[in-house]
Amino acid sequence: MMIVFIGPPGAGKGTQCRRLVELLNIPHLSTGEMLRDVMREDSALARWLASYIDAGKLAPDHLVMRIVAQKLQGDECKPGALFDGFPRTIVQAQLLDDYLIEHHRPLDVALNLQVDEEILVERLLKRAETDGRADDNYETIRERLRVFRTQTSPLIEYYTKQGKLEEIDGARPEAEVFHSIQTAITKYQKLGIGKQ
Ligand code: AMP
C-alpha cells in the first residue's frame, strides 16, 4: 500500500508510523529524517538546508521530491511505502501523484491526524527538553504550526477531492489512535485497494 500521513508537528505521526510500518511491513519514509541525515553532512547543501529547517521553513519542493524518488526506486519500496511528513505542499502532492501514476503505483489512502494547536505546542515544548532538536523551540514551533496551517492543510481538501482522505482524532491515547488507523486501513484493504 502507498499511504500518506498528514498531521501538524507534534501530532504523533512518528510514533503511529512506527507502529503502522511494523503492521504492514512497508518502509517508513520520513522526509524530516531524510533531510536531517543530509544536514549531518559537512557540505554546502547541508548548510543551505539548515537555513530553512532550523528556521521552521519548508525545504524546496523539488529537492524533497528528488530525495523521496531516490528512496522509492529501492526494492524495499516494492510492497509500498508510508510517507511521513510528505507531501507538505500542494506542489509536492502533485509531484508525488505524477511519480506514482507514472510508476503504476497510485496512492491508496491519506491519513490526517488531527490535534488542537494548544496541545501541540505543549507536546513539542516537552519534546524539546528531551530530544534537543534545533527546530523545537517556542518561536520555531509557532512558525512550523503556521506553515502547516497555510501550506500543508490544503492537502486535506486535495485528498478529500480524490476520495482518499481518512480523518483520525490524534488527541486520544496512543493505542486508541492506532486502533482507528488500523480500522481505516482495513477498510481500504477490504476494498482491495493497495493489493498488487
Ligand atoms: P519533521 O521531522 O517531519 O517534523 O520535519 C522537520 C523539518 O524538516 C520541517 O519543519 C521542515 O523544515 C523539513 N521538512 C520535512 N519534510 C518536509 C517536506 N516534505 N517538505 C519540505 N520540508 C520538509
Side-chain angles (χ1 to χ4, degrees), residues 31-33 35-36 52-53 56-59 64 85-88 92 133 135 144:
T31 44
E33 285 297 331
L35 293 167
R36 280 188 289 279
Y52 288 89
I53 294 176
K57 310 265 182 223
L58 293 183
V64 180
F86 176 82
R88 258 174 155 103
Q92 289 182 16
R133 258 175 61 168
D135 59 351
R144 281 157 61 212

Side-chain angles (χ1 to χ4, degrees), residues 12 15 18 21 26 42 51 54-55 63 74 78 81 104 112-113 125 157 159 170 180-181 184 190:
T15 312
R18 279 187 283 280
V21 291
I26 54 175
D42 182 20
S51 70
D54 291 348
L63 173 82
K78 285 220 168 96
H104 314 290
N112 180 36
L113 196 56
L125 286 173
E157 194 189 338
Y159 288 119
S180 301
I181 292 173
K190 276 197 185 135

Side-chain angles (χ1 to χ4, degrees), residues 15-147:
T15 312
Q16 297 296 336
C17 281
R18 279 187 283 280
R19 296 180 73 149
L20 196 52
V21 291
E22 216 168 280
L23 179 81
L24 297 175
N25 211 11
I26 54 175
H28 177 195
L29 302 189
S30 155
T31 44
E33 285 297 331
M34 292 177 208
L35 293 167
R36 280 188 289 279
D37 282 346
V38 176
M39 286 200 323
R40 273 183 216 110
E41 296 163 9
D42 182 20
S43 66
L45 175 63
R47 286 183 285 280
W48 180 68
L49 261 182
S51 70
Y52 288 89
I53 294 176
D54 291 348
K57 310 265 182 223
L58 293 183
D61 292 330
H62 284 82
L63 173 82
V64 180
M65 183 65 222
R66 208 164 64 218
I67 297 175
V68 170
Q70 271 169 8
K71 292 271 179 196
L72 283 174
Q73 279 157 16
D75 280 350
E76 66 279 10
C77 290
K78 285 220 168 96
L82 177 63
F83 301 100
D84 169 8
F86 176 82
R88 258 174 155 103
T89 63
I90 293 285
V91 171
Q92 289 182 16
Q94 285 164 340
L95 288 170
L96 178 65
D97 273 346
D98 290 349
Y99 181 96
L100 293 178
I101 289 164
E102 196 183 315
H103 291 80
H104 314 290
R105 307 289 311 280
L107 187 77
D108 297 299
V109 55
L111 303 168
N112 180 36
L113 196 56
Q114 289 173 303
V115 180
D116 283 348
E117 241 182 80
E118 306 91 79
I119 301 176
L120 294 172
V121 175
E122 213 174 282
R123 285 186 186 174
L124 287 164
L125 286 173
K126 213 180 246 175
R127 186 169 86 183
E129 286 170 17
T130 51
D131 284 13
R133 258 175 61 168
D135 59 351
D136 270 349
N137 59 67
Y138 190 76
E139 286 309 307
T140 316
I141 287 169
R142 282 282 171 210
E143 176 60 12
R144 281 157 61 212
L145 290 171
R146 191 192 64 78
V147 166

